[in-house]
Amino acid sequence: MARRVVETVTCDACSKKGLEVTGTVTLTIMDDSYDLCDEHGARFRDQLRAALAPSLDVALSA
């Protein structure tokens, strides 16, 4: 009989709250890797984008 192993990936951020939400996004920063759900993936993307983008003041003064 053939067997198949199914691995479930859960969101690391949701797991800290005791929730089991499917991880759909992987965030990798150097050697660290995090599995995130869509909501947390979007939240971290927006925070990183804001932190790394040039500030509005610098853009207006150019």
Side-chain angles (χ1 to χ4, degrees):
M1 174 187 275
R3 294 180 185 213
R4 180 173 36 177
V5 176
V6 178
E7 181 179 348
T8 302
V9 177
T10 57
C11 173
D12 293 330
C14 290
S15 293
K16 290 186 87 171
K17 298 177 187 175
L19 303 173
E20 289 190 19
V21 179
T22 302
T24 57
V25 177
T26 301
L27 171 65
T28 303
I29 302 172
M30 298 186 68
D31 295 335
D32 297 326
S33 186
Y34 305 94
D35 295 310
L36 303 170
C37 63
D38 287 337
E39 179 184 345
H40 282 109
R43 186 180 305 169
F44 284 113
R45 180 199 61 221
D46 293 342
Q47 290 176 357
L48 284 170
R49 185 180 291 156
L52 298 175
S55 77
L56 186 58
D57 295 334
V58 172
L60 291 176
S61 67

